[in-house]
């Protein structure tokens, strides 16, 4: 079992390094992300391409199709993160967290000079 977890960590680090080097989502980087993360990786890439990663003064938020999800570190408020992910596997990430990691690396985060807690009150 540790060998699989080691491979996964290495694969996560590899796509992050490839993305950092490319500075953009190349076909090779997309292939690496989707190989490691499957459909979560696909959804994350789509969110980044659609400018749905928002940075506020207090939180980073990923806009989903039916709700917005607050990301803090590598934690997320989504049900996938709360119920489906292995808390002992640091590479088992929801697509919202993956989207933030990708968007930050390629400078594709939509920055807002306000607090999300203020914006959320209007929604």
């Amino acid at each position: 079992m540790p060998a699989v977890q080691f491979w996964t960590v290495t694969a996560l680090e590899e796509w992050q390094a490839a993305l950092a080097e490319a500075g953009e989502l190349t076909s090779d980087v997309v292939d690496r992300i989707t190989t490691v993360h499957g459909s979560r990786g696909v959804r994350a890439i789509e969110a980044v391409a659609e400018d749905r990663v928002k940075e506020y003064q207090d939180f980073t938020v990923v806009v989903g199709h039916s709700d917005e999800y607050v990301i803090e570190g590598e934690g997320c408020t989504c049900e996938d993160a709360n119920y489906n992910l292995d808390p002992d596997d640091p590479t088992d990430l929801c697509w919202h967290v993956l989207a933030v990691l990708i968007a930050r690396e390629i400078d594709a985060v939509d920055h807002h000079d306000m607090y999300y807690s203020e914006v959320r009150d209007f929604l």
Side-chain angles (χ1 to χ4, degrees):
M1 181 85 111
V4 172
Q5 195 169 30
F6 176 76
W7 177 85
T8 306
V9 171
T10 302
L12 173 70
E13 292 169 346
E14 284 179 0
W15 75 249
Q16 288 177 316
L19 181 60
E21 184 177 325
E24 63 182 349
L25 281 167
T26 63
S27 60
D28 176 58
V29 173
V30 168
D31 287 345
R32 289 177 189 224
I33 293 169
T34 57
T35 297
V36 175
H37 300 287
S39 63
R40 287 183 180 125
V42 171
R43 293 181 76 184
I45 291 165
E46 289 171 354
V48 172
E50 295 169 1
D51 297 320
R52 293 190 280 134
V53 178
K54 314 292 183 185
E55 183 83 45
Y56 294 91
Q57 290 181 351
D58 50 354
F59 295 110
T60 303
V61 175
V62 176
V63 179
H65 294 291
S66 61
D67 204 355
E68 295 182 346
Y69 302 94
V70 175
I71 312 303
E72 290 187 274
E74 291 186 356
C76 181
T77 58
C78 74
E79 289 185 18
D80 191 28
N82 289 323
Y83 300 110
N84 299 326
L85 302 180
D86 180 355
D88 296 326
D89 182 356
T91 66
D92 200 10
L93 306 170
C94 70
W95 70 267
H96 309 104
V97 170
L98 291 170
V100 171
L101 293 173
I102 295 165
R104 284 183 177 158
E105 191 60 53
I106 63 171
D107 197 25
V109 177
D110 184 14
H111 294 277
H112 295 273
D113 190 23
M114 61 184 69
Y115 290 93
Y116 179 69
S117 55
E118 294 171 353
V119 173
R120 188 69 180 165
D121 290 340
F122 293 115
L123 300 176

